[in-house]
Amino acid sequence: MQIIYSDLLCIGAGLAGERVAVEAAKAGFNVTCLSIVPPRRSHSSAAQGGMQAALGNAIMGDGDCPDIHFADTVKGSDWGCDQEVARIFADTAPIVMREVAHWGVPWNRVEAGVHTYYKGGKPFDAEEKRDKHGLIHARAFGGTAKWRTCYTADGTGRSVLNTLDSMCLRYEVGIHDRTQAEALIHDGENCLGAIVRCLKTGELKAYLATATLIATGGYGRIYRATTNAVICDGGGQIAALDTGLVPMGNMEAIQFHPTGTVPTDILVTEGCRGDGGTLLDVNEYRFMPDYEPEKAELASRDVVSRRMQEHIRKGLGVKSPYGDHLWLDIRHLGEKHITTKLREVYDICTNFLGVNPIHDLIPVRPTQHYSMGGIRTNKDGAAYGLKGLFSAGESACWDMHGFNRLGGNSLAETVVAGRYVGKKIVEFLQGHTVDFKQSAINDAHTKVAARIMEMTKSSSKQESAIQLRDEMHSTMMDNVGIFRNGKDLQAAVDKLDELIDRSKSIKLQGTAIGFNPEISLALRIPGMLKLAQCTAYGALMRTESRGAHTREDFPERNDKEWLNRTLAYWKDGETRPELKYEETTPYFEIPPGERGYGGGKIIAADIPEEKLQVPGKGTDKKKAKQTKKAS
Amino acid sequence: MSRRLHIEVFRYNPLDPNSEPHMQSFYVNEYDSMTLFIALNLIRDEQDPTVQFDFCCRAGICGSCGMVINGRPGLACHTQTKDLPDHIVLHPLPVFKLIGDLSVDTGTWFRDAGARIEAWVHNDHDDFDASAEEVRMENDLANDIFELDRCIECGCCVSACGTARMREDFLGATSIARIARFYLDPRDERNEENYYQVIGNDQGVFGCMGLLGCEDVCPKHIPLQDQLGIMRRMLAIHSVKGILPKRVLDKLKHKGCCHESH
């Protein structure tokens, strides 16, 4: 078996993986990035909208600062985030945006003078300041007090990824594309790298590294209707969970995006609504202001998705062969705006739907979009349970998003966390050596090789990976969607128990020498079922509604009992995850309160006085008083 | 009345000594809004799990699924079957190394091209001051740079290129547009001589025969033809600048498109 050594192994080469790689390579370390696809095809490239950072250059972002960004993020998370992490994020985001600008990102810039913008579909004029001319501009996104989302037309992910990939080229980061990490190599204490399958030849190789980063994005593919790319199958989370040592955080926190298109589930950006697009029902009536008078279409994603589903349930959706949907209307933005600032949207509508958004309404419905949960790390990005293992970006539960993330915050997280965690990894590499134990390498290799051998050769097995995937999809769509309840979740958990059991008997249908795409799916399905079970079981046990997790049978946000984070461990040989809980945040800079949108009752917590202090900043008496009043 | 599609797929597994390149027929029932992404996945799920092809974003944004569709390079994910006859023939993109069936290795090709043209902003990257305001830029310029940053590296333009079919080391329209992106960018400190070193040769702009198949097939409609023209003009002028009078040089010296007035 070929063995490849690096100081840092990045599993995943999207925005987070490449940003970490650049940081370590700049510090002189030898870095290898693994990627299922060439890095520029990573799902980061599909992010259209933008990155939130409180630069405050745009007139509609005038007076913005990290404090306001932090407050929006905490509210957006429904107080489910780690406030120390959210603070690090909000404070560093502006610096990171400028840094990538220095490296080549062509951010859209402020143009001094009067411009016509839209809010809630209505035009208004605003004058951009002369002294801000040429600085990074921002657009509106949901759940924010200020216009704060930095963007490059509607290809932000593309342009930032191109820039980071060019930096990887410049700093000679080793890119090994068409590779899939199948298992982590570890000795029970230290992570030592990964057993990797080459997707060109099918060969298994060992990649050894002093530090290993998982940055493989989300696990949206456990749902059938998802905006996620085909490769977002949770490979990184599965490798971590399979160690039995590393827990997943808040797997039940799944975000549905309000505007997935019908029937292809391709996302159209929140920028549509940010720029003034509206949501209409079967009667072409704009319904969101009735539910959310203040924020309307620009309430946070969980709220808009829920209101849309609620409206469809009232029978006011548009009937179609692919199920009920609603309309997104951007016609009033005009041809110029749609074909420049929203060009990807225009392309998607014309190429995939046969709809021209300049003249026609776009069919949309809430679609699985983002995993707030993932590999639980501390604020340095270090995974719980194994030394030398890190995670950043969507694959991680770092946890600045809690139970709902704001649009533009996750794309920003990739590079902000990438930079921050990258620096922590550099510190780790500078002070750390590790022994690569032959037995650990062999153990990991044997496990993967044995699985492939069994599904190829064994005559007693007969389950089809495709069939199991389809049944998982139906279960997750029907029972673990936007609105959840105990009965449905229990049914999902029971069904997933069965599927997990059956997944031990997967047999390949066809044979091929070298690389066989069927093996990729067959190797992934048992792990995806485990992630699905962590999601369903975590959702069943969490008897409250918070952010994107909405229980019809427990509609209150229960801070008294559930102001915590779910940790799901999966011990070898077990059929279900073991759930543990930890405190949401080490302290509350902003004590739990009303979000100001979404409605819903809150069962207040009794938070001890010392938890309301920011360490090093002393007591914030005013805030402490507010909480008492609220409770 | 829905059609029954006859989809012919090129099959060859280079790792299997018994595999011979051949075409294999599959039949699929067409339904509304069907794309080649949907049709090929149906084939893999229901008829032959070993067929190799690449999809990732399936939204025309990542560039994974370039293939030759009825003789023309294009993205399979945003090709709707209703726009095609009921007999569809699929081949892998030429020029790139075949991995198997419809899957080709574009990653290695584009990384190699990127390294040859040093496709990054040449400045002192460590000279970043975290406390300083960003260097200002005109919004129109930012848009012009982004226009060229939109390339998804699908490889369609390279596959449709006459020169690339004849000489392995030709950088293709995609690389020239990529260099043009840095040429436009004031943050890149390279001068004309530096650019001349990387693309002022037959592997670069002077290898182009002007057939412009690249522009015809680009799924993102990137103005490849203009960029070839702009870069070729810039490098041609650079190579004769000792001969032409300064007055003429100044008149010819601008970075934009030749159709614009300057």
Side-chain angles (χ1 to χ4, degrees):
Chain A
M1 181 175 52
Q2 195 184 348
I3 294 181
I4 295 142
Y5 173 81
S6 329
D7 295 320
L8 169 64
L9 177 67
C10 293
I11 304 174
L15 285 173
E18 289 207 326
R19 183 61 191 82
V20 169
V22 167
E23 197 64 35
K26 272 165 67 94
F29 289 102
N30 175 291
V31 185
T32 303
C33 283
L34 305 177
S35 179
I36 298 175
V37 292
R40 291 184 182 212
R41 311 216 189 294
S42 303
H43 196 43
S44 302
S45 71
Q48 299 160 20
M51 297 190 176
Q52 280 205 47
L55 289 158
N57 296 326
I59 188 65
M60 296 304 291
D62 196 26
D64 199 10
C65 63
D67 288 347
I68 305 177
H69 188 186
F70 169 74
D72 282 343
T73 303
V74 173
K75 279 182 207 162
S77 80
D78 220 353
W79 275 270
C81 72
D82 182 322
Q83 296 200 9
E84 191 180 11
V85 168
R87 179 44 93 172
I88 293 170
F89 166 74
D91 284 352
T92 24
I95 296 167
V96 181
M97 299 309 127
R98 292 188 185 119
E99 187 178 52
V100 293
H102 181 67
W103 293 346
V105 173
W107 294 120
N108 275 98
R109 302 299 179 125
V110 176
E111 291 178 288
V114 177
H115 295 264
T116 302
Y117 297 121
Y118 285 86
K119 194 176 179 185
K122 292 203 176 64
F124 67 93
D125 284 347
E127 185 171 1
E128 296 289 355
K129 291 182 185 169
R130 184 139 297 279
D131 65 328
K132 300 288 186 190
H133 184 80
L135 297 177
I136 299 170
H137 197 230
R139 60 161 50 136
F141 255 35
T144 66
K146 300 277 181 186
W147 288 25
R148 182 187 298 131
T149 308
C150 310
Y151 64 101
T152 55
D154 59 357
T156 309
R158 162 64 56 208
S159 71
V160 181
L161 187 60
N162 284 3
T163 297
L164 288 182
D165 194 49
S166 75
M167 291 294 283
C168 284
L169 203 58
R170 180 187 187 291
Y171 286 101
E172 295 175 353
V173 170
I175 303 281
H176 295 206
D177 67 18
R178 291 187 184 260
T179 54
Q180 166 100 47
E182 296 291 352
L184 294 179
I185 302 168
H186 69 91
D187 60 9
E189 211 173 296
N190 305 287
C191 181
L192 308 171
I195 297 295
V196 174
R197 184 164 158 264
C198 171
L199 304 181
K200 293 175 192 169
T201 63
E203 194 187 342
L204 294 181
K205 299 177 185 180
Y207 282 74
L208 301 182
T210 310
T212 303
L213 171 87
I214 296 178
T216 51
Y219 51 93
R221 285 276 152 185
I222 62 171
Y223 287 85
R224 181 182 296 116
T226 172
T227 64
N228 286 192
V230 176
I231 56 171
C232 300
D233 57 10
Q237 288 92 338
I238 294 168
L241 187 65
D242 276 346
T243 62
L245 301 167
V246 180
M248 300 294 118
N250 280 348
M251 294 293 276
E252 63 270 32
I254 300 274
Q255 180 173 81
F256 289 79
H257 194 287
T259 54
T261 56
V262 182
T264 44
D265 305 316
I266 297 169
L267 174 81
V268 293
T269 176
E270 184 151 326
C272 290
R273 282 169 294 128
D275 290 0
T278 55
L279 291 167
L280 309 180
D281 65 13
V282 65
N283 303 317
E284 299 192 14
Y285 170 73
R286 185 176 170 220
F287 59 92
M288 275 307 293
D290 295 352
Y291 294 102
E292 299 293 331
E294 185 153 341
K295 293 247 172 192
E297 281 86 357
L298 287 177
S300 70
R301 286 181 180 175
D302 58 324
V303 172
V304 178
S305 291
R306 217 154 42 229
R307 297 304 196 190
M308 289 169 75
Q309 198 65 26
E310 204 176 329
H311 205 66
I312 289 173
R313 280 187 175 186
K314 288 180 184 164
L316 292 163
V318 183
K319 302 261 179 273
S320 89
Y322 305 99
D324 293 1
H325 63 79
L326 295 160
W327 298 116
L328 173 65
D329 185 6
I330 59 170
R331 295 173 299 183
H332 49 280
L333 301 181
E335 182 167 352
K336 179 159 183 259
H337 189 98
I338 293 171
T339 54
T340 55
K341 294 207 169 159
L342 296 171
R343 178 158 54 185
E344 290 293 347
V345 174
Y346 178 78
D347 287 350
I348 287 166
C349 290
T350 48
N351 291 332
F352 298 91
L353 307 176
V355 161
N356 180 348
I358 299 167
H359 306 295
D360 305 324
L361 300 170
I362 308 167
V364 293
R365 69 177 162 213
T367 304
Q368 193 286 341
H369 182 55
Y370 188 80
S371 333
M372 272 76 74
I375 298 164
R376 177 65 184 139
T377 71
N378 66 13
K379 67 175 173 172
D380 295 342
Y384 285 19
L386 275 179
K387 212 182 281 174
L389 179 65
F390 297 81
S391 185
E394 189 178 352
S395 62
C397 181
W398 187 30
D399 184 12
M400 54 168 278
H401 303 302
F403 276 77
N404 176 64
R405 70 142 175 118
L406 299 180
N409 253 1
S410 64
L411 202 59
E413 180 195 13
T414 60
V415 286
V416 176
R419 181 179 188 265
Y420 188 83
V421 173
K423 287 185 191 298
K424 295 296 173 186
I425 290 176
V426 166
E427 282 172 25
F428 175 82
L429 288 172
Q430 280 162 345
H432 195 81
T433 52
V434 70
D435 284 331
F436 295 104
K437 298 191 184 75
Q438 192 69 39
S439 57
I441 303 167
N442 286 345
D443 281 357
H445 174 258
T446 309
K447 260 189 208 164
V448 179
R451 285 183 63 199
I452 294 173
M453 184 64 81
E454 269 181 37
M455 62 177 69
T456 317
K457 298 272 157 67
S458 171
S459 55
S460 60
K461 306 193 161 186
Q462 69 289 323
E463 289 292 345
S464 138
I466 292 163
Q467 174 71 25
L468 291 172
R469 180 200 64 195
D470 290 349
E471 289 186 38
M472 169 182 71
H473 281 164
S474 299
T475 305
M476 295 307 284
M477 295 305 296
D478 294 346
N479 296 330
V480 200
I482 296 178
F483 286 102
R484 302 168 173 182
N485 62 66
K487 186 169 147 275
D488 288 352
L489 289 169
Q490 186 63 54
V493 168
D494 292 345
K495 179 68 184 178
L496 290 166
D497 277 347
E498 176 209 317
L499 295 177
I500 287 166
D501 192 45
R502 282 166 57 194
S503 73
K504 291 169 190 148
S505 310
I506 292 177
K507 168 95 173 119
L508 298 185
Q509 315 293 303
T511 54
I513 290 172
F515 172 72
N516 178 356
E518 196 189 2
I519 295 182
S520 301
L521 180 69
L523 281 172
R524 205 70 49 242
I525 284 294
M528 290 175 79
L529 285 165
K530 286 183 184 173
L531 298 182
Q533 186 65 297
C534 289
T535 306
Y537 191 51
L540 174 65
M541 300 317 275
R542 184 171 283 276
T543 48
E544 65 153 355
S545 293
R546 183 182 298 275
H549 172 68
T550 308
R551 286 285 298 256
E552 292 168 300
D553 42 356
F554 296 94
E556 304 85 12
R557 189 182 89 197
N558 188 344
D559 288 346
K560 207 177 180 97
E561 289 169 83
W562 287 104
L563 197 54
N564 59 20
R565 180 177 301 106
T566 310
L567 297 178
Y569 292 80
W570 204 298
K571 300 269 184 268
D572 200 27
E574 291 295 319
T575 50
R576 273 197 200 166
E578 180 191 352
L579 300 188
K580 295 181 182 173
Y581 296 90
E582 66 171 6
E583 284 188 334
T584 299
T585 178
Y587 54 84
F588 291 90
E589 190 176 337
I590 304 178
E594 296 267 358
R595 297 168 99 185
Y597 47 81
K601 250 181 72 185
I602 297 169
I603 300 171
D606 236 353
I607 296 168
E609 192 78 18
E610 70 271 14
K611 287 269 169 200
L612 297 169
Q613 296 169 23
V614 179
K617 280 195 179 173
T619 320
D620 192 334
K621 287 204 172 117
K622 202 174 118 212
K623 277 177 189 161
K625 258 187 212 156
Q626 276 176 351
T627 341
K628 277 196 184 141
K629 223 164 92 190
S631 57
Chain B
M1 190 61 196
S2 84
R3 299 187 297 174
R4 189 157 171 78
L5 301 174
H6 172 202
I7 301 181
E8 264 192 276
V9 177
F10 174 86
R11 300 298 306 268
Y12 177 53
N13 178 358
L15 295 173
D16 182 350
N18 295 319
S19 173
E20 295 272 343
H22 66 284
M23 300 302 291
Q24 184 176 356
S25 287
F26 297 97
Y27 295 88
V28 171
N29 289 327
E30 185 180 37
Y31 56 84
D32 279 356
S33 305
M34 186 180 247
T35 61
L36 286 181
F37 165 71
I38 295 171
L40 281 168
N41 274 291
L42 273 179
I43 289 171
R44 187 143 88 184
D45 281 1
E46 294 173 1
Q47 301 184 40
D48 186 340
T50 64
V51 188
Q52 291 192 51
F53 49 76
D54 296 315
F55 287 100
C56 180
C57 76
R58 54 79 179 94
I61 294 169
C62 80
S64 290
C65 62
M67 59 182 73
V68 179
I69 303 158
N70 283 353
R72 190 182 172 89
L75 293 184
C77 74
H78 80 183
T79 300
Q80 299 184 49
T81 54
K82 72 173 169 54
D83 297 330
L84 297 172
D86 56 11
H87 181 202
I88 299 167
V89 183
L90 304 176
H91 286 95
L93 291 180
V95 181
F96 301 99
K97 187 180 172 195
L98 183 74
I99 292 174
D101 303 338
L102 299 174
S103 174
V104 295
D105 187 357
T106 49
T108 304
W109 193 97
F110 277 95
R111 247 189 332 280
D112 173 61
R116 283 165 64 196
I117 61 173
E118 302 187 7
W120 57 85
V121 166
H122 284 54
N123 64 9
D124 183 355
H125 295 105
D126 293 324
D127 181 30
F128 168 71
D129 181 355
S131 61
E133 176 175 273
E134 61 273 22
V135 175
R136 292 175 192 239
M137 182 183 270
E138 287 301 314
N139 193 49
D140 286 344
L141 178 58
N143 279 329
D144 287 348
I145 294 170
F146 176 68
E147 181 71 12
L148 303 181
D149 240 349
R150 287 168 45 244
C151 175
I152 56 173
E153 303 191 352
C154 59
C156 288
C157 63
V158 179
S159 289
C161 171
T163 309
R165 295 294 290 272
M166 293 190 296
R167 57 180 310 153
E168 237 178 50
D169 57 1
F170 185 56
L171 284 161
T174 175
S175 309
I176 289 157
R178 204 162 156 191
I179 270 284
R181 178 241 177 271
F182 294 106
Y183 176 58
L184 264 185
D185 195 329
R187 293 166 292 199
D188 193 304
E189 291 160 2
R190 279 181 281 187
N191 61 25
E192 288 166 354
E193 177 59 25
N194 299 142
Y195 290 117
Y196 199 89
Q197 293 297 329
V198 287
I199 56 162
N201 49 32
D202 285 351
Q203 291 83 47
V205 284
F206 300 126
C208 169
M209 300 188 290
L211 301 176
L212 300 174
C214 52
E215 172 130 346
D216 290 347
V217 299
C218 176
K220 304 312 278 185
H221 308 295
I222 294 170
L224 296 169
Q225 177 182 340
D226 284 352
Q227 300 313 312
L228 276 164
I230 290 164
M231 296 310 283
R232 186 137 53 165
R233 182 186 60 193
M234 180 272 278
L235 295 173
I237 293 169
H238 175 74
S239 65
V240 296
K241 76 176 174 195
I243 306 166
L244 288 179
K246 188 173 177 303
R247 181 171 49 84
V248 179
L249 281 176
D250 286 346
K251 202 169 173 191
L252 292 169
K253 200 175 172 186
H254 50 81
K255 290 187 171 189
C257 171
C258 42
H259 307 313
E260 294 162 15
S261 54
H262 287 269

